[in-house]
Amino acid sequence: MIQTNTKTEENIEQSLDLKRLIFEKLIDFGVSEEVAAYLNMLVLLVGLLIIIFLIDIVIRKLLISAFNQFAKRSKTNFDDLLVSNKAPRNIAHIIPLLIAIEFVPDVFTDFYNFEIIVEKILKVFAIVLTLWIARSLLHTVRDYLKTLPRLKDKPIESYIQVFMIFAWLAGVMSAIAIITGIPFLKFLTGLGAISAVIILVFKDTILGFVASIQVSINDMLRIGDWITFEKYGADGDVIEITLATVKVQNWDKTITTIPTYALISDSFKNWRGMTSSGGRRIKRAVNIKQHSIKCLSEADIESLKKIELIRSYLEKRQQDITEFNTSHNINKSMPLNGRNLTNVGVFRKYVQTYIERHSAVNKDMTIMVRQLAPTSQGLPIEIYAFSTDKRWVNYEYIMADIFDHVLAAVPYFGLEIFEYPSSITLNTEK
């Protein structure tokens, strides 16, 4: 037992001799003790910094190289994301930091106050390094989850931001507690007095956090959704959902930023239902002049039979109407008596048949050509259908192609399109 204590004391004395080697040499050269102590500390500090710097470089290169080699051999891309998010680089700083904490007391042997300050700085840096590592790992998890089909459109960024906000808040409070020397729990209880101020400062963050949870749980919005938010002038694809904001890339490539909590406090339109369905809705009408609507005569029907799409329909309808009028002794000297075909009714049937046979219209979804209530602008004949191609440019082309044909077909049925008289027409009439 006595021998063990003796060896320990000898090791301590050798360590002290080594730490004060430069100090003793300077004293031998006639340097004052105070100056020698400062120079001794400075040399030891520079030496420690050089050693830590070299160790940090070596460990960082070895760790990054090992991760890269492992990433090449592994089938998953999680390790690749770890490297891209600098997780190995941040982890490599741990060992140099531990070495610095271990040897700081030796460097500042004669300067206790400096030792306390440097130790506090290193502890604060340890907190920051822990947060850096946590952020790198969370960003890696975020990027990996976004590669999964089921999760790539979820607002994962919001939850990571919430965690990091609380982590940074805890880190800042821990750092203040370390610097001031106040125990953490005692420091934490002292924050109760200023909790109202904290809530006021982080009001938007709290609202955004609550909103992001509701948006996620209710599946109101996903990344990639096309939304229209008239209040904020947004009309385009959602490209990012964060804790505080939602970024929408409009069709003109501008970016609109919307507060996340506005998604639950205001009304917006999400077009996901359309994009996930089998088609994009076409809902547009042509207005027919009401004075051009009339019953069709036999000559009119024979003329319209030249239109192949409705020839069989006209033949069958003409036969049914003739049999009905004959069996009921209808006086056809007045066209209004009995059953008759009208030019607008035949036109509706023609458009219906044309839409049903159009190659770009989804046949499994609603196809309807209907007559709306007459207005001062004429009688609206509305086409209600769904295009198979949901892409905006192609959708507009399909709709334009349909109405090009419909508008051109109107005169063949003895109908006219309503339009306000132009100035040229007015001058002609005068």
Side-chain angles (χ1 to χ4, degrees), residues 274-346:
M274 180 273 294
T275 54
S276 60
S277 67
R280 184 168 179 176
R281 188 182 70 174
I282 298 172
K283 185 176 181 291
R284 184 181 290 181
V286 292
N287 291 336
I288 303 297
K289 283 186 179 180
Q290 297 178 42
H291 73 78
S292 66
I293 298 173
K294 64 178 182 178
C295 293
L296 294 175
S297 63
E298 292 292 331
D300 293 331
I301 294 174
E302 292 300 321
S303 177
L304 289 175
K305 284 181 181 179
K306 297 177 183 178
I307 303 174
E308 294 183 356
L309 285 180
I310 54 172
R311 180 187 300 165
S312 59
Y313 166 76
L314 288 174
E315 290 175 349
K316 185 176 184 308
R317 290 294 295 158
Q318 186 179 29
Q319 181 181 354
D320 293 341
I321 289 171
T322 301
E323 290 177 357
F324 177 85
N325 291 336
T326 301
S327 62
H328 290 79
N329 297 319
I330 302 297
N331 180 11
K332 293 304 295 176
S333 60
M334 172 63 70
L336 196 60
N337 293 335
R339 295 173 63 181
N340 300 279
L341 287 171
T342 62
N343 57 350
V344 71
V346 175

Coordinates of all heavy atoms in Angstrom, one line a residue, residues 274-346:
M274 N -58.3 16.3 -57.8 CA -58.4 16.3 -59.2 C -57.2 15.6 -59.8 O -57.3 14.7 -60.7 CB -58.4 17.7 -59.8 CG -58.4 17.8 -61.3 SD -56.8 17.8 -62.1 CE -56.1 19.4 -61.5
T275 N -56.0 15.9 -59.3 CA -54.8 15.3 -59.8 C -54.7 13.8 -59.5 O -54.1 13.0 -60.3 CB -53.5 15.9 -59.2 OG1 -53.6 15.9 -57.8 CG2 -53.4 17.4 -59.7
S276 N -55.3 13.3 -58.4 CA -55.3 11.9 -58.1 C -56.4 11.1 -58.7 O -56.5 9.9 -58.7 CB -55.3 11.7 -56.6 OG -56.5 12.2 -56.0
S277 N -57.4 11.9 -59.4 CA -58.5 11.2 -60.0 C -58.1 10.8 -61.5 O -57.0 11.0 -61.9 CB -59.7 12.1 -60.1 OG -59.4 13.3 -60.9
G278 N -59.1 10.4 -62.2 CA -58.8 9.9 -63.6 C -58.8 11.0 -64.6 O -58.6 10.7 -65.8
G279 N -59.1 12.2 -64.2 CA -59.2 13.3 -65.2 C -59.4 14.6 -64.6 O -59.6 14.8 -63.4
R280 N -59.2 15.7 -65.5 CA -59.4 17.0 -65.0 C -60.7 17.6 -65.6 O -60.9 17.5 -66.8 CB -58.2 17.8 -65.5 CG -58.2 19.3 -65.0 CD -56.8 19.9 -65.2 NE -56.8 21.3 -64.8 CZ -55.7 22.1 -64.8 NH1 -54.6 21.6 -65.3 NH2 -55.8 23.3 -64.4
R281 N -61.4 18.3 -64.8 CA -62.8 18.7 -65.2 C -62.8 19.7 -66.2 O -62.1 20.7 -66.2 CB -63.6 19.1 -64.0 CG -65.0 19.4 -64.3 CD -65.8 19.9 -63.0 NE -65.4 21.2 -62.7 CZ -65.9 21.9 -61.8 NH1 -66.9 21.4 -61.0 NH2 -65.5 23.2 -61.5
I282 N -63.7 19.5 -67.2 CA -64.0 20.6 -68.2 C -65.4 21.0 -67.9 O -66.4 20.2 -68.0 CB -63.9 20.0 -69.7 CG1 -62.5 19.6 -70.0 CG2 -64.4 21.0 -70.7 CD1 -62.3 18.8 -71.3
K283 N -65.6 22.3 -67.7 CA -66.9 22.8 -67.3 C -67.0 24.2 -67.9 O -66.6 25.2 -67.3 CB -67.1 22.8 -65.8 CG -68.5 23.3 -65.4 CD -68.6 23.2 -63.8 CE -70.0 23.6 -63.3 NZ -70.3 25.0 -63.5
R284 N -67.6 24.3 -69.1 CA -67.7 25.5 -69.8 C -68.9 25.5 -70.7 O -69.3 24.4 -71.2 CB -66.4 25.8 -70.7 CG -66.4 27.1 -71.4 CD -65.2 27.3 -72.2 NE -64.0 27.4 -71.4 CZ -62.8 27.6 -71.9 NH1 -62.6 27.6 -73.2 NH2 -61.7 27.8 -71.1
A285 N -69.5 26.7 -70.9 CA -70.8 26.7 -71.7 C -70.7 27.7 -72.9 O -69.8 28.6 -72.9 CB -71.9 27.2 -70.8
V286 N -71.5 27.4 -73.9 CA -71.7 28.4 -75.0 C -73.1 28.9 -74.9 O -74.0 28.2 -74.6 CB -71.5 27.7 -76.4 CG1 -70.0 27.3 -76.6 CG2 -72.4 26.5 -76.5
N287 N -73.2 30.2 -75.1 CA -74.6 30.9 -74.9 C -75.2 31.0 -76.3 O -74.7 31.6 -77.2 CB -74.4 32.2 -74.3 CG -74.0 32.2 -72.9 OD1 -74.2 31.1 -72.2 ND2 -73.3 33.2 -72.4
I288 N -76.4 30.4 -76.4 CA -77.1 30.4 -77.7 C -78.2 31.5 -77.7 O -78.9 31.7 -76.7 CB -77.9 29.1 -77.9 CG1 -76.8 27.9 -77.8 CG2 -78.6 29.0 -79.2 CD1 -75.8 27.9 -78.9
K289 N -78.2 32.3 -78.8 CA -79.3 33.3 -78.9 C -80.7 32.6 -78.9 O -80.9 31.7 -79.7 CB -79.1 34.0 -80.2 CG -78.0 35.1 -80.2 CD -78.1 35.9 -81.4 CE -77.0 37.0 -81.4 NZ -77.0 37.8 -82.7
Q290 N -81.5 33.0 -78.0 CA -82.8 32.3 -77.8 C -83.7 32.5 -79.0 O -84.6 31.6 -79.3 CB -83.5 32.8 -76.5 CG -82.6 32.5 -75.3 CD -83.2 33.0 -74.0 OE1 -84.5 32.9 -73.8 NE2 -82.4 33.6 -73.1
H291 N -83.6 33.6 -79.7 CA -84.5 33.8 -80.9 C -84.2 32.8 -82.0 O -84.9 32.7 -83.0 CB -84.5 35.2 -81.4 CG -83.3 35.6 -82.1 ND1 -83.0 35.3 -83.4 CD2 -82.2 36.4 -81.7 CE1 -81.8 35.8 -83.8 NE2 -81.3 36.4 -82.7
S292 N -83.0 32.2 -82.0 CA -82.6 31.3 -83.0 C -83.1 29.8 -82.8 O -82.9 29.0 -83.6 CB -81.1 31.3 -83.2 OG -80.4 30.7 -82.1
I293 N -83.7 29.6 -81.6 CA -84.2 28.3 -81.3 C -85.6 28.1 -81.9 O -86.4 28.9 -81.9 CB -84.3 28.1 -79.8 CG1 -82.9 28.3 -79.1 CG2 -84.9 26.8 -79.4 CD1 -83.0 28.3 -77.6
K294 N -85.7 26.9 -82.6 CA -87.0 26.6 -83.3 C -87.2 25.1 -83.4 O -86.3 24.3 -83.1 CB -86.9 27.2 -84.7 CG -85.9 26.6 -85.6 CD -85.9 27.2 -87.0 CE -84.8 26.5 -87.8 NZ -84.8 27.0 -89.2
C295 N -88.5 24.8 -83.8 CA -88.8 23.4 -84.1 C -88.3 23.1 -85.5 O -88.2 23.9 -86.4 CB -90.3 23.1 -84.1 SG -91.0 23.3 -82.4
L296 N -87.8 21.8 -85.7 CA -87.3 21.4 -87.0 C -88.4 20.9 -87.9 O -89.2 20.1 -87.5 CB -86.2 20.3 -86.8 CG -84.9 20.7 -86.0 CD1 -84.1 19.5 -85.8 CD2 -84.2 21.8 -86.8
S297 N -88.3 21.3 -89.1 CA -89.2 20.8 -90.2 C -88.6 19.5 -90.7 O -87.5 19.2 -90.4 CB -89.4 21.8 -91.3 OG -88.1 22.1 -91.9
E298 N -89.4 18.8 -91.6 CA -89.0 17.6 -92.2 C -87.7 17.9 -93.1 O -86.8 17.1 -93.1 CB -90.1 17.0 -93.1 CG -91.3 16.5 -92.3 CD -90.9 15.3 -91.5 OE1 -90.0 14.5 -91.9 OE2 -91.5 15.0 -90.4
A299 N -87.7 19.1 -93.7 CA -86.6 19.4 -94.6 C -85.3 19.7 -93.7 O -84.2 19.3 -94.1 CB -86.9 20.7 -95.4
D300 N -85.6 20.3 -92.6 CA -84.4 20.5 -91.7 C -83.8 19.2 -91.2 O -82.6 19.1 -91.1 CB -84.9 21.4 -90.5 CG -85.3 22.8 -90.9 OD1 -84.7 23.3 -91.9 OD2 -86.1 23.4 -90.1
I301 N -84.7 18.3 -90.8 CA -84.2 17.0 -90.3 C -83.5 16.2 -91.4 O -82.4 15.6 -91.1 CB -85.4 16.1 -89.8 CG1 -86.1 16.8 -88.6 CG2 -85.0 14.7 -89.4 CD1 -87.3 16.2 -88.1
E302 N -84.0 16.2 -92.6 CA -83.3 15.6 -93.7 C -81.9 16.2 -94.0 O -81.0 15.5 -94.3 CB -84.1 15.6 -95.0 CG -85.4 14.8 -94.9 CD -85.2 13.3 -94.7 OE1 -84.2 12.8 -95.3 OE2 -85.9 12.7 -93.9
S303 N -81.8 17.5 -93.8 CA -80.6 18.1 -94.0 C -79.6 17.8 -92.9 O -78.4 17.5 -93.2 CB -80.8 19.7 -94.0 OG -79.5 20.3 -94.1
L304 N -80.1 17.6 -91.7 CA -79.2 17.3 -90.5 C -78.8 15.8 -90.6 O -77.8 15.5 -89.9 CB -79.9 17.6 -89.2 CG -80.1 19.1 -88.9 CD1 -80.9 19.3 -87.6 CD2 -78.7 19.8 -88.7
K305 N -79.5 15.0 -91.3 CA -79.1 13.6 -91.4 C -77.8 13.4 -92.1 O -77.2 12.3 -92.0 CB -80.2 12.8 -92.1 CG -81.4 12.5 -91.3 CD -82.4 11.7 -92.0 CE -83.7 11.4 -91.2 NZ -84.7 10.6 -92.0
K306 N -77.3 14.4 -92.8 CA -76.0 14.4 -93.4 C -74.9 14.3 -92.4 O -73.7 14.0 -92.7 CB -75.8 15.6 -94.4 CG -76.8 15.6 -95.5 CD -76.7 16.8 -96.3 CE -77.7 16.9 -97.5 NZ -77.5 18.2 -98.3
I307 N -75.2 14.7 -91.1 CA -74.2 14.7 -90.1 C -74.1 13.3 -89.5 O -75.1 12.8 -88.9 CB -74.5 15.7 -89.0 CG1 -74.7 17.1 -89.5 CG2 -73.5 15.7 -87.9 CD1 -75.2 18.1 -88.5
E308 N -73.0 12.6 -89.7 CA -72.9 11.2 -89.4 C -73.1 10.9 -88.0 O -73.7 9.8 -87.6 CB -71.6 10.6 -89.9 CG -71.5 10.7 -91.5 CD -70.1 10.0 -91.9 OE1 -69.3 9.7 -91.0 OE2 -69.9 9.9 -93.1
L309 N -72.6 11.7 -87.1 CA -72.7 11.4 -85.7 C -74.1 11.3 -85.1 O -74.4 10.6 -84.2 CB -72.0 12.5 -84.8 CG -70.5 12.5 -84.9 CD1 -69.9 13.6 -84.0 CD2 -69.9 11.1 -84.4
I310 N -75.1 12.0 -85.8 CA -76.5 11.9 -85.3 C -77.5 11.4 -86.3 O -78.7 11.5 -86.1 CB -76.9 13.4 -84.8 CG1 -76.7 14.4 -86.0 CG2 -76.2 13.8 -83.6 CD1 -77.3 15.7 -85.7
R311 N -77.0 10.8 -87.4 CA -77.9 10.3 -88.4 C -78.8 9.2 -87.8 O -80.0 9.3 -88.0 CB -77.1 9.7 -89.6 CG -78.0 9.1 -90.7 CD -77.2 8.4 -91.7 NE -76.2 9.4 -92.3 CZ -75.2 9.0 -93.1 NH1 -74.9 7.7 -93.3 NH2 -74.4 9.9 -93.6
S312 N -78.2 8.2 -87.1 CA -79.0 7.1 -86.6 C -80.0 7.6 -85.5 O -81.1 7.2 -85.4 CB -78.1 6.0 -86.0 OG -77.3 6.5 -85.0
Y313 N -79.5 8.6 -84.7 CA -80.4 9.2 -83.7 C -81.6 9.9 -84.3 O -82.7 9.7 -83.9 CB -79.6 10.2 -82.9 CG -80.4 11.1 -82.0 CD1 -81.0 10.7 -80.8 CD2 -80.6 12.4 -82.4 CE1 -81.7 11.5 -80.0 CE2 -81.4 13.3 -81.6 CZ -82.0 12.8 -80.4 OH -82.7 13.6 -79.7
L314 N -81.3 10.7 -85.4 CA -82.4 11.4 -86.0 C -83.4 10.4 -86.7 O -84.7 10.6 -86.6 CB -81.9 12.3 -87.1 CG -81.1 13.6 -86.5 CD1 -80.5 14.4 -87.7 CD2 -82.1 14.5 -85.8
E315 N -82.9 9.4 -87.3 CA -83.8 8.4 -87.9 C -84.7 7.7 -86.9 O -85.9 7.6 -87.2 CB -83.0 7.4 -88.7 CG -82.3 7.9 -89.9 CD -81.4 6.9 -90.6 OE1 -81.1 5.8 -90.0 OE2 -80.9 7.2 -91.7
K316 N -84.1 7.3 -85.8 CA -84.9 6.7 -84.8 C -85.9 7.6 -84.1 O -87.1 7.3 -84.0 CB -84.0 6.1 -83.7 CG -84.8 5.2 -82.7 CD -83.8 4.6 -81.7 CE -84.5 3.7 -80.7 NZ -85.6 4.3 -80.0
R317 N -85.5 8.8 -83.8 CA -86.3 9.8 -83.2 C -87.5 10.2 -84.1 O -88.6 10.4 -83.7 CB -85.5 11.0 -82.8 CG -84.6 10.8 -81.6 CD -85.4 10.5 -80.3 NE -86.1 11.6 -79.9 CZ -87.2 11.6 -79.1 NH1 -87.6 10.4 -78.6 NH2 -87.8 12.7 -78.7
Q318 N -87.1 10.4 -85.4 CA -88.1 10.8 -86.4 C -89.2 9.7 -86.5 O -90.4 10.0 -86.6 CB -87.5 11.1 -87.7 CG -88.4 11.6 -88.8 CD -87.7 11.9 -90.1 OE1 -86.8 11.2 -90.4 NE2 -88.2 12.9 -90.8
Q319 N -88.8 8.5 -86.5 CA -89.8 7.4 -86.6 C -90.6 7.3 -85.4 O -91.9 7.2 -85.5 CB -89.0 6.0 -86.8 CG -89.9 4.8 -86.9 CD -89.1 3.5 -87.0 OE1 -87.9 3.5 -87.1 NE2 -89.8 2.4 -87.0
D320 N -90.1 7.5 -84.2 CA -90.9 7.4 -82.9 C -91.9 8.6 -82.9 O -93.0 8.4 -82.5 CB -89.9 7.5 -81.7 CG -89.1 6.2 -81.6 OD1 -89.4 5.2 -82.2 OD2 -88.0 6.3 -80.9
I321 N -91.4 9.8 -83.3 CA -92.3 10.9 -83.2 C -93.4 10.8 -84.2 O -94.6 11.1 -83.9 CB -91.4 12.2 -83.5 CG1 -90.5 12.5 -82.3 CG2 -92.3 13.4 -83.7 CD1 -89.5 13.6 -82.5
T322 N -93.1 10.3 -85.4 CA -94.1 10.2 -86.4 C -95.2 9.2 -86.0 O -96.4 9.4 -86.1 CB -93.5 9.7 -87.8 OG1 -92.5 10.7 -88.2 CG2 -94.6 9.5 -88.8
E323 N -94.8 8.0 -85.4 CA -95.7 7.0 -84.9 C -96.6 7.6 -83.8 O -97.8 7.3 -83.7 CB -94.9 5.8 -84.4 CG -94.3 5.0 -85.5 CD -93.5 3.8 -85.0 OE1 -93.4 3.7 -83.7 OE2 -92.9 3.1 -85.8
F324 N -96.0 8.4 -82.9 CA -96.7 8.9 -81.8 C -97.8 9.9 -82.3 O -98.9 9.9 -81.9 CB -95.8 9.6 -80.8 CG -96.5 10.3 -79.7 CD1 -96.9 9.6 -78.5 CD2 -96.8 11.7 -79.8 CE1 -97.5 10.3 -77.5 CE2 -97.5 12.3 -78.8 CZ -97.8 11.6 -77.6
N325 N -97.4 10.8 -83.2 CA -98.3 11.8 -83.7 C -99.4 11.2 -84.5 O -100.6 11.7 -84.5 CB -97.5 12.9 -84.6 CG -96.6 13.7 -83.7 OD1 -96.8 13.9 -82.5 ND2 -95.5 14.3 -84.3
T326 N -99.1 10.2 -85.3 CA -100.1 9.5 -86.1 C -101.1 8.8 -85.2 O -102.3 8.8 -85.5 CB -99.4 8.5 -87.1 OG1 -98.5 9.2 -87.9 CG2 -100.4 7.8 -88.0
S327 N -100.6 8.0 -84.2 CA -101.5 7.3 -83.4 C -102.4 8.2 -82.5 O -103.5 7.7 -82.1 CB -100.7 6.3 -82.4 OG -99.8 7.1 -81.6
H328 N -102.0 9.4 -82.3 CA -102.8 10.3 -81.5 C -103.5 11.4 -82.4 O -104.1 12.3 -81.8 CB -101.9 11.0 -80.5 CG -101.4 10.1 -79.4 ND1 -100.4 9.3 -79.5 CD2 -101.9 10.0 -78.1 CE1 -100.2 8.6 -78.4 NE2 -101.1 9.0 -77.5
N329 N -103.5 11.2 -83.7 CA -104.2 12.1 -84.6 C -103.8 13.5 -84.4 O -104.6 14.4 -84.2 CB -105.7 11.9 -84.5 CG -106.1 10.5 -84.9 OD1 -105.6 10.0 -85.9 ND2 -107.1 9.9 -84.2
I330 N -102.5 13.8 -84.3 CA -102.0 15.1 -84.0 C -102.1 15.9 -85.3 O -101.7 15.5 -86.4 CB -100.6 15.1 -83.5 CG1 -100.5 14.3 -82.2 CG2 -100.1 16.5 -83.3 CD1 -101.3 14.8 -81.1
N331 N -102.6 17.2 -85.2 CA -102.7 18.1 -86.4 C -101.3 18.8 -86.5 O -101.0 19.7 -85.8 CB -103.8 19.1 -86.1 CG -103.9 20.1 -87.3 OD1 -103.3 19.9 -88.4 ND2 -104.7 21.2 -87.1
K332 N -100.6 18.3 -87.5 CA -99.2 18.9 -87.7 C -99.2 20.1 -88.6 O -98.1 20.5 -89.0 CB -98.3 17.8 -88.3 CG -98.1 16.6 -87.3 CD -97.5 17.1 -86.0 CE -96.1 17.8 -86.2 NZ -95.6 18.3 -84.9
S333 N -100.4 20.6 -88.9 CA -100.4 21.9 -89.7 C -99.7 23.0 -88.9 O -99.2 24.0 -89.4 CB -101.8 22.3 -90.1 OG -102.6 22.5 -89.0
M334 N -99.8 22.8 -87.6 CA -99.1 23.7 -86.6 C -98.0 23.0 -86.0 O -98.1 22.0 -85.3 CB -100.1 24.2 -85.5 CG -99.4 25.0 -84.4 SD -98.7 26.5 -84.9 CE -100.2 27.5 -85.3
P335 N -96.7 23.4 -86.3 CA -95.5 22.6 -85.9 C -95.4 22.4 -84.4 O -94.8 21.5 -83.9 CB -94.3 23.5 -86.4 CG -94.9 24.3 -87.5 CD -96.3 24.5 -87.2
L336 N -96.1 23.3 -83.6 CA -96.1 23.2 -82.2 C -96.8 22.1 -81.6 O -96.6 21.6 -80.5 CB -96.6 24.5 -81.6 CG -96.2 24.8 -80.1 CD1 -94.7 24.9 -79.9 CD2 -96.9 26.1 -79.6
N337 N -97.8 21.6 -82.4 CA -98.6 20.5 -81.9 C -97.8 19.2 -81.8 O -96.9 18.9 -82.7 CB -99.8 20.3 -82.8 CG -100.8 21.4 -82.8 OD1 -100.8 22.2 -81.8 ND2 -101.6 21.6 -83.8
G338 N -98.2 18.3 -80.9 CA -97.6 17.0 -80.8 C -96.1 17.1 -80.4 O -95.6 18.0 -79.7
R339 N -95.4 16.0 -80.7 CA -94.0 15.9 -80.4 C -93.2 16.4 -81.6 O -93.5 16.1 -82.7 CB -93.6 14.5 -80.0 CG -94.3 14.0 -78.8 CD -94.1 12.5 -78.5 NE -92.7 12.2 -78.3 CZ -92.2 11.0 -78.1 NH1 -93.0 9.9 -78.1 NH2 -90.9 10.8 -77.9
N340 N -92.1 17.1 -81.3 CA -91.2 17.6 -82.3 C -89.8 17.6 -81.9 O -89.4 17.5 -80.7 CB -91.6 19.1 -82.6 CG -93.0 19.2 -83.0 OD1 -93.4 19.0 -84.2 ND2 -93.9 19.6 -82.1
L341 N -88.9 17.7 -82.9 CA -87.5 17.9 -82.6 C -87.2 19.4 -82.7 O -87.7 20.1 -83.6 CB -86.7 17.1 -83.6 CG -86.6 15.6 -83.5 CD1 -85.9 15.0 -84.7 CD2 -85.9 15.2 -82.2
T342 N -86.3 19.8 -81.8 CA -85.8 21.2 -81.9 C -84.4 21.3 -82.3 O -83.6 20.3 -82.0 CB -86.0 21.9 -80.5 OG1 -85.2 21.3 -79.6 CG2 -87.5 21.9 -80.1
N343 N -84.0 22.4 -82.9 CA -82.6 22.5 -83.3 C -81.6 22.5 -82.1 O -80.5 21.9 -82.2 CB -82.4 23.7 -84.2 CG -82.8 25.0 -83.5 OD1 -83.4 25.0 -82.5 ND2 -82.4 26.1 -84.2
V344 N -82.1 23.1 -81.0 CA -81.2 23.1 -79.8 C -81.1 21.8 -79.2 O -80.0 21.4 -78.7 CB -81.6 24.2 -78.8 CG1 -82.9 23.8 -78.1 CG2 -80.5 24.5 -77.8
G345 N -82.2 21.0 -79.2 CA -82.1 19.6 -78.7 C -81.2 18.7 -79.5 O -80.5 17.9 -78.9
V346 N -81.3 18.8 -80.8 CA -80.5 18.0 -81.7 C -79.0 18.4 -81.5 O -78.1 17.6 -81.5 CB -81.0 18.1 -83.1 CG1 -80.0 17.4 -84.1 CG2 -82.4 17.6 -83.3

